[in-house]
Amino acid sequence: MARKERPLEGEDGPLLEFATALRRLRHEAGSPPYRDMSARAHYSVATLSGAAAGRRLPSLDVTLSYVRACGGDVGEWERRWHAAAARLAAAGAGPGRAEAPGPRAPGAQGLPYVGLAPFRCEDAALFFGRERLVEDLFTALTRHRVVALVGASGAGKSSLLHAGLLPRLHADTPARAVTVLTPGPHPLDRARRALADGPGPADGPGPADGPGTADGPGPADGPGPADGPGTAERVLVVDQFEEVFTVCADPAERSRFVGELVGAAKRPGSGCRVVLGVRADFYAHCTRHPEIVEVLREAQVVVGPMSAAELRRAVVEPARRAGLTVEGGLQATLVAHAHGQVGALPLLSHSLLETWRRRRGAALTLDGFHAAGGFEGALAQSAEALYDSLSAPQQHLARQVFVHLIALGEGTEDTKRPVDRAELGQDADTRTVLARAAALRLLTLGDGAVELTHEALIRAWPRLRGWLTDDRERLRRHRQLAEAARAWEAVGRDPGALLRGAPLALARELTAGGGPVLTAAEAEFLAAGTAAESAAGDRARRRTRRLRLLVGALACLVVVAAVATGSAVRAEDEVTRQRNDAVAQNLAETSAGVAAAEPGLAVQLGLTAYRLSPTARTRDGLLSALMTALPAHGKEVVAIAYRPDGRQLATASGDRTARLWQTRGAGRPDPVATLGGHGGPLRALAYRPDGHTLATAAADGGVRLWDVTDPAHPAVAAELPSRETDVRALAFSPDGRTLATAGAGGGVRLWDVTDPAAPAETAPVPGHRDTVRAVAFSPDGRTLATGGEDTTVRLTDVGDRTRPEPLAVVGGHDTAVFSVAFAPDGRTLAIASGGRTPIRLWDLAEPRRPAPLATLTGHTDVVGAVAFGPDGRVLASASDDRTVRLWSVARGARPAPLATLTGHVTAVGSVAFSPDGAVLASGGYDTTLRLAGTDLDRALAGACAHTGPRITRAQWASYMPYLDYSPPCSGLESP
């Protein structure tokens, strides 16, 4: 008989509730003795009994082992553990019992990590891993008068300047005057103050500004002329130089700013040196200015991704300085996530800070990291915690505030923009939103200015991305209104600069239905335009009365008017065509916006747009509205595969499960079964050609073979011995006898799966130096293509599965390779990557000498997956730009775009054709699965069969007030 446990002691709270629930689970399982549970769980009796003692929260692994020993639901208890950990963290404790805080770190705020904010000069004691780059930048500055520091968003440019270069400059020459500025809306004024005898008062500090900036004097500045023989040298650091293009609205001021800045440094006898920190996606903008072109040609330092050793120093050293330790598993996980990712440093820093807040004693643990939300989820979890803490009116204000702080990209990514505090309002709710966001380091509150702490928030917070998607057109209109209001002020409020007609009507729409908050100047400008339009209407009515008196006199001109009728008809036709084009384009965009909530209405709007103006854009909008969409998993859908007979579809997700679906063409599939049991997020899956076996791979290195002969009752046939810590890709050979797996460390392995229940490794495939993300067999099964983070694709002869022989290495990509696919005839290989050449086609007529065939351009972000249709004439691609594109590749060297499908609200990571080529499936990081028919003409012809009730007159008047009511699908029933 099991020994009776001691009663639980202590105050009510998450620890006591969790321990009580564990004890209840054991009681419902028949109260098995802890000795028996220990044998099943492989943990000691003391560890298991301590898990239910209520003194501290047990680790996640101990908890799940306890639950398995009692026959409980592992998925439900994993959610319970994360909820308890989050409650303890909110109460000031880590995943374990609330503990006294450990030693304080040497940072400016006593924290070992700075989170989302960039490192400041006072954080130099925490800044590790960039020592070599700091020296490179310092050396370049000693050799050149002007140096450009170029790097992607999130690469750590601001931190490198503030916590790396500035301390290095002061250590070299303490008397040197150093000034830091951000351009802001009026960069010329700031530059002139910085180059004057002494720094003057600012328009308001930017987020990277601090003591010693051009926006306010500080101890780093010293009086003295900016140039002249014998004077002390001054270094001017321009952080976030891209604000010249995103925040400054005057091209003339922009050019003068660049000229004066570079001229001050290049002037003979000048004692000034200049450092420009600029984002890489604004490189092309910089080349429009000859002065900067010369700088980029002679002196630029590029900020790339940190090496594994540098990342480990950045993780471990701040903790060591604070008397803390970082668990080995956590180090490996963080380095694996950030290695090779040039923009991942803000996410790394934020996840470290949130893990520190959930530390156990003096240790940062992997459990704390998971409780914080993981690498990419920590930032989104912090932002969601802010949103959930607000009341409904405050949540509405938060949406307005965050989107107002973003400058929409034109050919570049969306960027943050500082705004004056007065633009956001002064009421109590607004102050609450700003204060809470600043406390979580999501916003930076300067002296009269507010901005996002880092642009990584735009990429990592799905809710904010959704807001930007929904409000993009409204935001553009607001920016146009703000620019028009500034122009009106600049010309002394000249009535000729007021808005009229359609632009005024569009501007007035901004204030309807809870639009963005207008500044006082914008509201006055809008009111003045409305008043001027009203006055003009009064004058028009008076003119009309006078014209009526002249009607009799005009009767004699009827004959002349008849001659002009023909011209008028033609002019009217042209006006009608232009109106139809504009209305159709607007309807196509509106259709995409309402597709999620009202798919039937979206199809009818898209069909009306296409019939008004049958362009590629309206056709793509209609095809996107016709796609079947459904939430497939709790997290991102990372892989899709059709069973060879096409009647079943499998999906894999970051929620650690795979799912089987019964398909009905492009219609909504039915769920059949869920495959669980993996210890980490799934990375890939593939069907064996016979359709009876499904392989799944996960981030914990596990690869499982499932018997899916009976789809409703799948069973594990075998589990491959773990060789890698993270399996990223897998593929079956065409004969089904070999399985290739690939993953971390460049490992590619071949397995004999002739008997799926008894797999055996045949041989490793050497060659790659870094993680392998893609693997595919040629149709004849003799060639294996593998691609990965070393930016290469390797072709290997695997005719003899025990002795693979290298054939060729395909290069030319400037980022990691994420997907490879053979055409059905085996003569063409498609490679998906990022950078300037996201998709490339190669001719493999001679596998030992592959030849470049064509480059496909059009995607604006990384392409994560490519797939050929079964006839080899069509290629599909999925991208982080949230689109799926179809390409005609029948003429290999001259591919052509066929269609662009939208609808996913985040990155699209997987794509697959059905075996008959009639359906294209795509999976995204928005957790959805989408199915589209590939016969475009047939899909358009049958559009009315996929819609709901007929569009009402009220809906028609709302979306198309300029057109007579004419439903595109008149046979539908009224709602």
Side-chain angles (χ1 to χ4, degrees):
M1 176 181 249
R3 186 176 61 186
K4 188 174 181 180
E5 294 182 290
R6 293 182 180 178
L8 293 171
E9 299 177 353
E11 301 178 356
D12 290 340
L15 283 178
L16 195 62
E17 293 174 10
F18 194 80
T20 301
L22 282 176
R23 291 191 176 191
R24 186 183 304 116
L25 174 67
R26 178 171 175 252
H27 176 72
E28 292 170 353
S31 299
Y34 275 115
R35 188 175 302 280
D36 294 346
M37 291 174 60
S38 175
R40 293 196 291 268
H42 304 293
Y43 275 99
S44 68
V45 171
T47 299
L48 293 176
S49 62
R55 292 188 294 274
R56 63 184 299 123
L57 186 66
S59 71
L60 178 60
D61 194 50
V62 169
T63 299
L64 298 184
S65 297
Y66 189 109
V67 171
R68 290 190 190 97
C70 295
D73 186 331
V74 173
E76 176 189 352
W77 278 91
E78 183 173 358
R79 289 190 293 273
R80 284 193 183 189
W81 186 92
H82 282 295
R87 290 176 63 190
L88 287 169
R97 189 178 178 89
E99 301 166 354
R104 296 179 68 85
Q109 300 182 26
L111 305 175
Y113 303 102
V114 300
L116 199 60
F119 284 83
R120 307 295 292 272
C121 189
E122 55 267 33
D123 299 318
L126 303 177
F127 188 64
F128 292 95
R130 289 296 198 187
E131 292 83 1
R132 186 179 65 178
L133 196 56
V134 170
E135 286 302 317
D136 290 346
L137 180 58
F138 178 79
T139 301
L141 190 59
T142 60
R143 295 175 179 173
H144 303 279
R145 307 300 302 181
V146 185
V147 176
L149 180 69
V150 182
S153 174
K157 300 180 299 300
S158 293
S159 298
L160 185 69
L161 292 172
H162 286 266
L165 179 63
L166 265 61
R168 181 67 178 84
L169 290 171
H170 288 307
D172 180 68
T173 307
R176 175 188 283 126
V178 180
T179 304
V180 183
L181 66 86
T182 54
H186 301 291
L188 191 59
D189 292 342
R190 293 191 174 186
R192 286 174 175 171
R193 282 198 294 271
L195 296 170
D197 288 350
D203 297 334
D209 302 327
T213 71
D215 306 300
D221 294 296
D227 53 31
T231 62
E233 184 178 83
R234 173 184 293 276
V235 176
L236 181 61
V237 178
V238 184
D239 191 14
Q240 300 176 47
F241 183 75
E242 62 273 7
E243 286 188 4
V244 173
F245 307 107
T246 61
V247 179
C248 176
D250 185 354
E253 181 177 2
R254 186 181 304 148
S255 297
R256 291 197 300 272
F257 167 72
V258 171
E260 291 200 16
L261 203 64
V262 178
K266 295 293 183 75
R267 188 181 304 123
S270 170
C272 180
R273 295 180 185 268
V274 176
V275 182
L276 306 178
V278 59
R279 247 177 55 178
D281 52 334
F282 286 88
Y283 200 94
H285 293 66
C286 294
T287 60
R288 298 170 189 166
H289 299 272
E291 302 94 336
I292 305 182
V293 170
E294 184 179 352
V295 173
L296 295 175
R297 184 185 300 118
E298 295 179 353
Q300 65 171 311
V301 177
V302 179
V303 183
M306 298 174 74
S307 67
E310 290 172 335
L311 286 168
R312 193 166 284 107
R313 280 181 55 78
V315 170
V316 173
E317 286 301 317
R320 187 180 64 80
R321 293 289 182 91
L324 305 171
T325 60
V326 181
E327 193 176 80
L330 175 58
Q331 293 182 39
T333 298
L334 291 171
V335 172
H337 276 295
H339 187 230
Q341 306 299 319
V342 71
L345 296 184
L347 297 178
L348 174 67
S349 185
H350 184 80
S351 61
L352 277 167
L353 179 59
E354 292 302 311
T355 304
W356 173 81
R357 288 176 172 150
R358 294 161 176 80
R359 65 195 181 279
R360 179 170 296 159
L364 276 65
T365 66
L366 191 59
D367 285 340
F369 171 74
H370 289 311
F375 188 75
E376 295 180 350
L379 181 52
Q381 183 168 300
S382 296
E384 282 298 309
L386 164 70
Y387 187 79
D388 292 340
S389 71
L390 302 174
S391 64
Q394 290 170 346
Q395 289 177 343
H396 179 71
L397 273 173
R399 175 173 182 163
Q400 292 184 337
V401 166
F402 277 95
V403 299
H404 195 65
L405 297 174
I406 296 172
L408 302 180
E410 298 291 345
T412 61
E413 292 184 359
D414 297 339
T415 59
K416 64 179 181 176
R417 71 179 190 113
V419 301
D420 190 273
R421 175 67 179 82
E423 291 187 29
L424 303 177
Q426 303 293 335
D427 58 281
D429 281 344
T430 301
R431 291 196 298 271
T432 298
V433 170
L434 294 179
R436 293 185 183 180
L440 290 174
R441 296 194 171 196
L442 302 177
L443 297 183
T444 300
L445 308 182
D447 184 10
V450 182
E451 73 170 341
L452 297 181
T453 302
H454 201 282
E455 280 134 354
L457 184 64
I458 304 175
R459 301 188 296 271
W461 190 12
R463 187 184 297 277
L464 180 55
R465 291 286 295 271
W467 289 342
L468 292 175
T469 300
D470 296 342
D471 294 348
R472 187 165 292 270
E473 184 58 31
R474 186 184 291 268
L475 288 170
R476 292 190 191 281
R477 293 181 188 175
H478 187 204
R479 302 289 190 268
Q480 292 167 359
L481 173 63
E483 291 175 6
R486 284 195 292 269
W488 179 59
E489 293 280 1
V491 296
R493 299 197 170 193
D494 186 339
L498 293 172
L499 297 179
R500 292 178 174 81
L504 178 61
L506 291 174
R508 281 201 296 260
E509 288 180 5
L510 287 173
T511 61
V517 178
L518 303 184
T519 65
E522 292 167 357
E524 290 178 14
F525 174 67
L526 194 56
T530 302
E533 184 180 59
S534 178
D538 292 340
R539 290 194 297 272
R541 285 188 287 273
R542 289 194 295 270
R543 285 196 302 270
T544 300
R545 288 194 293 269
R546 289 196 298 269
L547 288 173
R548 286 174 180 170
L549 300 175
L550 300 176
V551 170
L554 295 176
C556 62
L557 298 178
V558 170
V559 176
V560 178
V563 176
T565 299
S567 299
V569 169
R570 288 192 295 273
E572 183 178 3
D573 289 343
E574 178 62 18
V575 170
T576 300
R577 186 190 65 78
Q578 294 179 4
R579 181 204 63 185
N580 288 349
D581 288 346
V583 172
Q585 180 175 333
N586 184 57
L587 278 180
E589 296 173 356
T590 303
S591 170
V594 303
E598 298 180 273
L601 175 61
V603 172
Q604 294 179 74
L605 293 178
L607 190 56
T608 302
Y610 184 71
R611 291 178 177 176
L612 276 174
S613 179
T615 64
R617 187 167 185 176
T618 55
R619 180 206 60 193
D620 291 350
L622 177 55
L623 292 173
S624 300
L626 289 169
M627 293 175 73
T628 299
L630 71 157
H633 286 273
K635 289 188 177 181
E636 66 272 15
V637 180
V638 299
I640 300 174
Y642 272 95
R643 195 170 66 184
D645 63 5
R647 290 182 294 179
Q648 188 180 106
L649 177 72
T651 57
S653 171
D655 64 6
R656 303 188 180 190
T657 67
R659 288 188 175 175
L660 304 181
W661 307 81
Q662 181 181 354
T663 58
R664 295 185 178 85
R668 189 179 183 90
D670 291 330
V672 176
T674 299
L675 286 62
H678 278 289
L682 264 64
R683 300 296 199 192
L685 53 71
Y687 274 104
R688 196 166 181 253
D690 62 4
H692 297 310
T693 303
L694 178 72
T696 58
D700 64 351
V703 176
R704 290 189 170 190
L705 300 180
W706 300 82
D707 184 351
V708 291
T709 305
D710 180 2
H713 301 89
V716 177
E719 186 164 356
L720 303 186
S722 178
R723 294 288 189 270
E724 278 78 36
T725 57
D726 187 358
V727 177
R728 289 280 184 167
L730 44 77
F732 281 101
S733 62
D735 62 7
R737 298 174 59 189
T738 303
L739 174 69
T741 63
V748 180
R749 302 181 184 278
L750 301 179
W751 305 81
D752 184 348
V753 290
T754 305
D755 179 3
E761 183 176 354
T762 61
V765 180
H768 286 283
R769 301 186 305 275
D770 206 339
T771 298
V772 180
R773 287 179 170 266
V775 61
F777 282 94
S778 61
D780 63 5
R782 295 190 59 85
T783 304
L784 183 71
T786 56
E789 295 184 358
D790 59 5
T791 74
T792 67
V793 171
R794 293 181 177 268
L795 302 179
T796 305
D797 186 343
V798 291
D800 181 353
R801 305 299 161 87
T802 63
R803 298 178 62 187
E805 295 183 6
L807 292 173
V809 177
V810 178
H813 290 277
D814 47 15
T815 67
V817 173
F818 299 101
S819 179
V820 293
F822 283 94
D825 63 3
R827 294 176 59 90
T828 304
L829 179 69
I831 301 175
S833 180
R836 297 182 299 276
T837 56
I839 306 175
R840 300 186 73 179
L841 303 181
W842 291 81
D843 185 348
L844 298 186
E846 297 184 51
R848 292 188 182 276
R849 288 183 292 276
L853 194 60
T855 299
L856 281 61
T857 59
H859 283 294
T860 60
D861 207 337
V862 168
V863 177
V866 287
F868 280 97
D871 61 0
R873 301 172 63 86
V874 178
L875 179 73
S877 58
S879 170
D880 284 7
D881 66 9
R882 297 171 285 175
T883 67
V884 175
R885 291 180 180 256
L886 294 175
W887 312 83
S888 172
V889 291
R891 303 169 67 183
R894 302 177 64 183
L898 290 176
T900 301
L901 303 179
T902 59
H904 285 285
V905 299
T906 58
V908 190
S910 51
V911 66
F913 282 95
S914 61
D916 61 1
V919 181
L920 178 68
S922 61
Y925 283 73
D926 55 4
T927 76
T928 63
L929 171 68
R930 289 180 173 267
L931 304 177
T934 57
D935 187 337
L936 306 185
D937 294 335
R938 182 177 180 183
L940 295 174
C944 286
H946 299 278
T947 185
R950 184 169 67 242
I951 186 172
T952 66
R953 288 183 178 274
Q955 290 172 326
W956 185 279
S958 173
Y959 293 104
M960 295 165 281
Y962 307 108
L963 301 179
D964 293 333
Y965 180 63
S966 178
C969 300
S970 56
L972 297 176
E973 295 181 359
S974 300

